[in-house]
Amino acid sequence: MADFIVLKRPGPPAREVLVNLDEILMVQPGQNSGSAILFGKDHLVNFEEDLPTVIRRIQTGPYVRTDHG
């Protein structure tokens, strides 16, 4: 079962996306505002939520869970 959190990608257009908790390698402050999540060696994605909000959501949810059988 995978756990996801919902975060907002900056736009235009801004959009909500599911972020797989198992794929997160590191969370850091964004360059201008918000936060950035490293998913792989060269895969850094920016989000509108600030660093404390992202950390809180990773730790406490709310989570979206998928059950693969």
Side-chain angles (χ1 to χ4, degrees), residues 3-58:
D3 291 335
F4 297 85
I5 56 174
V6 177
L7 296 175
K8 188 176 280 189
R9 291 288 314 270
R15 62 207 176 276
E16 289 186 335
V17 295
L18 292 174
V19 176
N20 186 337
L21 296 179
D22 293 336
E23 300 297 322
I24 295 173
L25 298 179
M26 181 176 62
V27 181
Q28 63 188 37
Q31 287 187 331
N32 297 325
S33 64
S35 61
I37 297 178
L38 182 67
F39 290 100
K41 180 181 174 190
D42 296 318
H43 191 67
L44 188 68
V45 180
N46 293 312
F47 293 94
E48 290 185 1
E49 290 84 358
D50 62 7
L51 184 62
T53 300
V54 173
I55 298 299
R56 183 174 27 82
R57 286 191 187 167
I58 289 170

